[in-house]
Amino acid sequence: MAYEPDPSHGAWQESLQVLRLGDGLHAELVRRQQQAQGEDRQVRLPVSRLNSLLRATAPGVLATGHNAGADGRLPWLYARQVVPHEVLAPVLGTWAAGLVDPDDEDDEKLEDELLAGPDAAAVLLPSWEHECVDLTETVVSAGGTAEPQQRLYNLLPEAVAFRLADSPYRTGGAPLHFRVASSGKGVELVSWPPQQYEHRGRTWYYSACLTVTVQTVPFAQRFRVHVATGVRRWATRLEVAPRGLNGATVLLDAPLPWPENQDRGYRIAENTIGFDRRAKQLVWRRGSPALLLPELDIVRTYPEPAELFESPEKWLLGQRGLAAGIVYHPVLGPHGVGPGLMPRERSELDAWMEARLRPMLRRVGDLTRVTRHNTPSLLPRSVKQTEPDTREAQKAMMRRTALARALGGRLLDVEIVWQTPQTRDALLSALPDVIGLPPGGGVAIDGSRQWQVDGIRIKVRTRPAEGLAEALSISGNRKRRRALRLAEAITGRCGLVADAAGALSTDVGVVIAEIAGKDRFAAAPDTDPKHALRIAWAGQGRLAQFINLPDGHSAGLEHRAKWTWLDAFRQLGAIRPPAHRVGAGIPGDLQYVGLWMVRYTGKGPTRCPARQIVAVRMRPAGSVGAVEGWDVERAEWVPYPQLLLALANASRKGRGQNRNDREHGERGAEQQWQAEAERQIRAVLFQLRERPTLLLASAGNLRQCWPRLRNGALNRDMLGFGRGPDQRITVYGADLRVVLVRDANGRGEVADWYAHDSLGKVGFAEGVWATDAPDNRVFASTASRPHTAAGVPKDLMKLVPTAKSRTAPGKAAWNPGLLEMTVLGCLSEQALAESGRAGGVPDHPAEWATLTHQLRYHDDYPPLARPLPLHLARLAGEYVLPLATDEGVAS
């Protein structure tokens, strides 16, 4: 479901009006802001709030330019028609009033200056300029990747959204009319007014939601427009206290405050409400147009956040010519409408969008199957009726073998810290089944249970959690930073754990702790003890795995107990990928390496920023140390559990990251971090040269610290670091292959999809897919639906249900995500020739894509979102838990 410029049509030309802030107005606004802040340093104007206000109130505004707050000469507004001066001046003046001290009586209001007369206004505000804009303007990178001109990332999604909103979507039921909701995060179309679903005496509200983004694909001849489809649900009963509302999106439908300009342009304004702990009340957050709209429109009465919170359904249906909807989030309570759409409905939306975007854009051609080898050598899914336990017995034996290799003859000392006897008993009962141990186990003198079989020695102890699993107690001293107060609470919990643990053991230690789910701590942020306990036990050389308190369903508890043990074994490195079924083109002694960057902002689990490169290596069956991680401090490969403990204990060492930022400046610190991250990546590559290696990296994750992974910077069979030239991939290893994977990444980077055949049947399909382009390097991986989603029919229609499907909105729809795989580096004919091995057998990129796809499969898990080595590298980030210090943040 991606669309691209149609070469048979030519350029998509739009005649637009363009306005710049100009040097005069920009300088005046900067002066006012500097005066209010009492500083002479260069400031960047906070124009995002102004842009939101203009999109909500100014007729004809199509999009806002990028970086206009830093440079007044850059395009600021793109409009289908000139915004009248009598409209623009009040909006600018209202926004500018927030830049200065409201008590400064000597500062003349900007609105008065702009409305003083045409001569005075012209000094500040430049004239509109007419420009014919090519919405398909393309630049092709040196590596052959088509990229849109930079301004199109903002401008084209708006143009596409308005084109779609100009005509209703018609299906079997009533037509859906769309409104455009724009923010700094992208452009959405929301069907308005909302649909209603009656269920069990209650009305639930929902809308269709389309998200429009502009994307690129490595080595593609044209850039893409992605339109992701989904359901937008509206909250009408808020089962959360105002204090627990950290931030909720509100879409506000208000008529323009200018009677002579009734063209809304299909807009609906995005706002945010949240609880202000200083004011002790719900407020509109910064950037919300609702903050300033009452000053522009003195006729209507706009809802206050508290009023909206108390009566969300009333405002959703409309009051006094206004309507406002709170976007639903699970923290607000349950919802009767299920998320997602199914393939049939998705395909009909695709057909409607394709027709609306012609002739300027066309739908990207269908992908076709590359191979029938969709899965590796997994155990048979079906078993004989006479041997129902055979498959589970084989899986238990495989787990036991992997665990024996990971332990290497050492004792596994497991401590179950429980709150309910049901969970304790479920864990004790599940262990023998999971790895095929004799039931029960011997009981030792100290009350523990012990097993010894096939070279495995396991000791399991239990004890009540008592105060260890209670909520953290955060100091109320607001004069100290939140991160410092949280660090104090974590340190205190570490002390409790140390007092209860006794002497440190040299055995392999794992703690399984029963704690409440994170929703139990939502009312009091940062009080969840999970991260504190992980840090505390890691300091004692023990891994930590958690299981939530039971919800009253015994069958669910048994299932969760089994998965808790599997996750504990995964942390021990007792896991390996099944043998692939790709073919002889894959070296037999190949090793897999997954690269991941852990990056937390100040909103991270410990309220501290963190950046950490994680590398995980997996070697074939029979190798010693089947799962290993790269220890940066020791500059060597260590067993996976040692990597996890090293990541957790690293917070005790090093200088603070915040202090580093202060010393070098934010930009300088970022550049320094990029250089250090690339140095670490090159060090990892150097250690992999002795044998064939498949390096797996998430492009969306790693390009933050490795900018040369940006699509426009990629070159086939080349790697680039820093500002140096690209080098042949064989320079970093004679038998190195590199595959970049990419998912939607929260930004629609990968398109929605559905499968269809020549007969018009629509549904799902599992496998590896690609275009038929020669020398293709980009493939798609789709997995099967999990059993939890198997009962939902593929032709379910939720947006406009018919009489035959009145309960359809209540169904939860689920679509497997598409994983993009780019074979960036392999031994192609050219790569072999350039490395002095001309005449050698070249690689087939499709085989390496197939291998990457098969690494998503394992007998113990549903298909993974990423290949197993990358999955393990990402999960290692759970142990990156820096703590704040008085100097800054421990690295």
Side-chain angles (χ1 to χ4, degrees):
M1 291 182 65
Y3 314 92
E4 63 183 7
D6 191 339
S8 63
H9 175 268
W12 179 359
Q13 301 280 354
E14 286 284 341
S15 180
L16 299 177
Q17 301 293 330
V18 180
L19 183 68
R20 293 167 170 80
L21 279 174
D23 292 336
L25 180 58
H26 186 270
E28 173 62 16
L29 293 171
V30 168
R31 181 193 69 79
R32 290 168 179 259
Q33 188 176 13
Q34 288 175 333
Q35 182 176 340
Q37 295 178 351
E39 299 179 1
D40 293 331
R41 64 181 179 86
Q42 185 65 33
V43 297
R44 182 189 182 94
L45 293 174
V47 295
S48 59
R49 185 176 174 185
L50 172 60
N51 292 342
S52 299
L53 187 63
L54 280 163
R55 285 193 293 261
T57 60
V61 171
L62 180 63
T64 52
H66 180 67
N67 230 21
D71 189 343
R73 294 166 294 182
L74 296 175
W76 169 40
L77 294 181
Y78 294 91
R80 294 174 301 236
Q81 62 197 48
V82 172
V83 179
H85 189 75
E86 59 272 17
V87 172
L88 192 58
V91 175
L92 266 169
T94 302
W95 167 78
L99 300 179
V100 300
D101 185 350
D103 297 328
D104 188 354
E105 299 179 357
D106 296 330
D107 208 335
E108 186 175 0
K109 290 185 178 180
L110 180 65
E111 181 180 349
D112 295 338
E113 295 184 33
L114 291 173
L115 293 176
D119 295 336
V123 175
L124 289 178
L125 191 62
S127 302
W128 287 84
E129 304 171 13
H130 175 265
E131 184 176 343
C132 192
V133 178
D134 180 2
L135 296 178
T136 55
E137 184 177 355
T138 305
V139 177
V140 180
S141 72
T145 299
E147 297 183 285
Q149 201 268 351
Q150 186 62 39
R151 63 180 173 179
L152 296 187
Y153 283 102
N154 288 341
L155 189 53
L156 183 54
E158 298 272 0
V160 167
F162 279 111
R163 188 171 182 85
L164 293 176
D166 192 46
S167 178
Y169 166 64
R170 300 182 184 276
T171 182
L176 293 182
H177 298 267
F178 284 93
R179 304 286 285 276
V180 179
S182 306
S183 69
K185 296 175 289 186
V187 181
E188 290 184 342
L189 290 115
V190 179
S191 64
W192 195 262
Q195 302 287 90
Q196 297 185 15
Y197 170 52
E198 304 286 342
H199 183 61
R200 294 183 178 179
R202 182 172 169 182
T203 304
W204 305 91
Y205 299 86
Y206 68 104
S207 299
C209 182
L210 311 177
T211 304
V212 187
T213 57
V214 172
Q215 307 291 343
T216 62
V217 175
F219 316 128
Q221 297 179 354
R222 283 171 282 276
F223 65 83
R224 309 282 175 85
V225 173
H226 290 173
V227 185
T229 62
V231 171
R232 169 62 52 82
R233 294 176 288 177
W234 305 99
T236 51
R237 291 186 186 177
L238 310 182
E239 298 183 13
V240 62
R243 280 183 165 274
L245 198 65
N246 293 325
T249 299
V250 176
L251 295 189
L252 179 64
D253 180 25
L256 291 178
W258 327 108
E260 67 278 11
N261 294 293
Q262 290 301 318
D263 173 26
R264 283 203 52 80
Y266 311 110
R267 289 278 188 197
I268 191 167
E270 182 174 295
N271 302 267
T272 305
I273 61 172
F275 189 79
D276 187 321
R277 301 193 181 278
R278 292 185 178 180
K280 297 182 179 180
Q281 63 180 1
L282 289 169
V283 298
W284 294 110
R285 291 281 174 84
R286 286 182 60 85
S288 297
L291 277 167
L292 301 178
L293 277 172
E295 298 182 35
L296 291 170
D297 185 1
I298 60 175
V299 176
R300 297 174 183 85
T301 303
Y302 287 78
E304 293 293 332
E307 182 183 2
L308 181 60
F309 183 87
E310 291 172 1
S311 306
E313 186 172 13
K314 180 182 75 173
W315 281 102
L316 183 64
L317 297 175
Q319 290 289 312
R320 303 190 291 271
L322 304 172
I326 300 177
V327 176
Y328 170 76
H329 187 277
V331 74
L332 302 177
H335 202 286
V337 175
L341 301 175
M342 294 302 283
R344 170 59 64 183
E345 198 154 31
R346 185 175 278 189
S347 69
E348 294 193 3
L349 280 167
D350 182 30
W352 171 71
M353 290 186 288
E354 184 181 10
R356 291 297 307 150
L357 296 178
R358 288 177 183 155
M360 293 75 68
L361 302 180
R362 67 181 185 187
R363 189 166 65 80
V364 174
D366 291 343
L367 305 180
T368 55
R369 194 185 296 276
V370 169
T371 177
R372 290 289 174 180
H373 294 154
N374 294 328
T375 60
S377 297
L378 300 174
L379 294 174
R381 295 181 181 178
S382 59
V383 297
K384 298 179 180 178
Q385 292 184 354
T386 57
E387 301 176 355
D389 299 327
T390 301
R391 189 170 188 268
E392 287 303 315
Q394 289 177 318
K395 291 168 67 174
M397 183 182 65
M398 293 167 60
R399 295 173 193 137
R400 193 166 66 243
T401 302
L403 182 60
R405 180 181 295 108
L407 293 176
R410 294 171 297 169
L411 172 69
L412 174 59
D413 183 9
V414 181
E415 184 176 38
I416 297 176
V417 179
W418 55 273
Q419 295 193 64
T420 61
Q422 303 98 296
T423 297
R424 176 200 60 197
D425 296 342
L427 288 168
L428 290 172
S429 299
L431 177 59
D433 293 336
V434 169
I435 56 176
L437 298 174
V443 179
I445 298 175
D446 60 358
S448 65
R449 295 190 183 185
Q450 298 192 24
W451 289 267
Q452 186 167 347
V453 59
D454 294 344
I456 296 177
R457 293 184 299 137
I458 300 178
K459 177 181 179 181
V460 180
R461 297 175 287 121
T462 66
R463 68 180 177 88
E466 297 178 338
L468 297 183
E470 292 180 355
L472 298 179
S473 178
I474 309 294
S475 169
N477 182 8
R478 298 190 179 277
K479 294 182 179 180
R480 305 192 69 207
R481 290 188 298 118
R482 183 79 180 182
L484 281 173
R485 290 182 280 144
L486 178 57
E488 289 176 349
I490 291 175
T491 302
R493 186 58 50 91
C494 289
L496 289 179
V497 170
D499 293 341
L504 298 181
S505 172
T506 58
D507 299 320
V508 180
V510 175
V511 179
I512 298 178
E514 183 183 19
I515 63 174
K518 61 181 180 181
D519 56 318
R520 304 278 185 96
F521 306 99
D526 300 331
T527 59
D528 189 340
K530 184 175 185 177
H531 304 300
L533 293 174
R534 195 185 296 280
I535 292 172
W537 280 315
Q540 302 196 6
R542 295 192 287 175
L543 302 170
Q545 180 60 41
F546 300 94
I547 181 171
N548 287 346
L549 290 166
D551 55 7
H553 302 289
S554 58
L557 179 57
E558 293 175 4
H559 177 75
R560 291 191 295 113
K562 172 187 173 181
W563 277 97
T564 300
W565 284 111
L566 291 178
D567 284 340
F569 296 156
R570 182 258 306 165
Q571 293 191 50
L572 291 168
I575 186 172
R576 66 182 185 187
H580 68 77
R581 295 194 303 130
V582 177
I586 306 300
D589 58 345
L590 179 72
Q591 62 182 355
Y592 310 114
V593 176
L595 273 182
W596 188 264
M597 184 190 70
V598 180
R599 181 167 187 164
Y600 297 132
T601 65
K603 298 180 180 180
T606 56
R607 297 284 181 175
C608 294
R611 288 177 289 197
Q612 176 73 48
I613 295 292
V614 177
V616 170
R617 178 172 73 177
M618 305 188 77
R619 290 189 162 180
S623 299
V624 177
V627 184
E628 298 173 308
W630 178 253
D631 190 315
V632 176
E633 295 293 328
R634 296 165 58 179
E636 63 181 7
W637 295 100
V638 299
Y640 185 69
Q642 289 187 26
L643 169 70
L644 302 183
L645 296 176
L647 291 173
N649 292 325
S651 61
R652 312 285 181 181
K653 307 173 185 177
R655 292 196 309 163
Q657 184 175 307
N658 283 358
R659 179 179 176 183
N660 188 61
D661 289 353
R662 289 195 301 269
E663 291 177 355
H664 298 276
E666 185 176 345
R667 184 175 181 84
E670 188 69 22
Q671 293 174 345
Q672 190 178 47
W673 159 244
Q674 285 184 4
E676 173 59 20
E678 291 185 345
R679 184 197 66 78
Q680 292 182 22
I681 293 170
R682 290 196 299 269
V684 170
L685 291 173
F686 182 78
Q687 297 294 328
L688 303 172
R689 301 165 63 90
E690 82 283 2
R691 65 192 300 172
T693 301
L694 171 59
L695 179 69
L696 298 162
S698 170
N701 166 262
L702 270 182
R703 63 172 173 247
Q704 298 177 63
C705 66
W706 191 359
R708 299 286 282 277
L709 293 187
R710 186 179 58 83
N711 287 345
L714 298 179
N715 279 287
R716 290 178 174 86
D717 304 325
M718 307 282 277
L719 285 180
F721 293 92
R723 297 183 180 179
D726 284 353
Q727 292 181 299
R728 299 191 312 271
I729 197 167
T730 51
V731 170
Y732 297 94
D735 290 303
L736 175 66
R737 281 84 170 180
V738 178
V739 175
L740 302 180
V741 301
R742 184 168 62 144
D743 56 18
N745 201 25
R747 295 190 290 266
E749 293 189 30
V750 174
D752 282 356
W753 67 280
Y754 60 90
H756 71 94
D757 61 15
S758 58
L759 301 178
K761 294 181 179 179
V762 174
F764 300 109
E766 178 182 13
V768 183
W769 313 84
T771 66
D772 56 0
D775 193 26
N776 176 64
R777 292 293 186 94
V778 182
F779 302 83
S781 166
T782 60
S784 59
R785 282 194 294 172
H787 68 280
T788 53
V792 183
K794 292 175 287 188
D795 58 352
L796 187 76
M797 307 293 282
K798 294 176 60 175
L799 297 181
V800 186
T802 62
K804 297 181 180 179
S805 59
R806 292 177 179 174
T807 62
K811 305 290 185 181
W814 191 90
N815 295 268
L818 185 147
L819 185 70
E820 181 188 273
M821 304 175 296
T822 300
V823 183
L824 177 62
C826 65
L827 299 184
S828 61
E829 288 187 11
Q830 183 176 351
L832 288 171
E834 291 178 348
S835 61
R837 289 184 284 173
V841 180
D843 286 339
H844 297 290
E847 292 185 337
W848 292 95
T850 301
L851 176 60
T852 302
H853 167 79
Q854 292 187 9
L855 284 169
R856 296 180 60 189
Y857 290 81
H858 194 278
D859 282 304
D860 279 335
Y861 300 98
L864 301 171
R866 302 171 185 84
L868 182 58
L870 205 54
H871 177 73
L872 295 179
R874 186 187 69 86
L875 289 179
E878 294 176 344
Y879 281 81
V880 178
L881 298 167
L883 295 180
T885 66
D886 289 328
E887 288 188 343
V889 179
S891 60

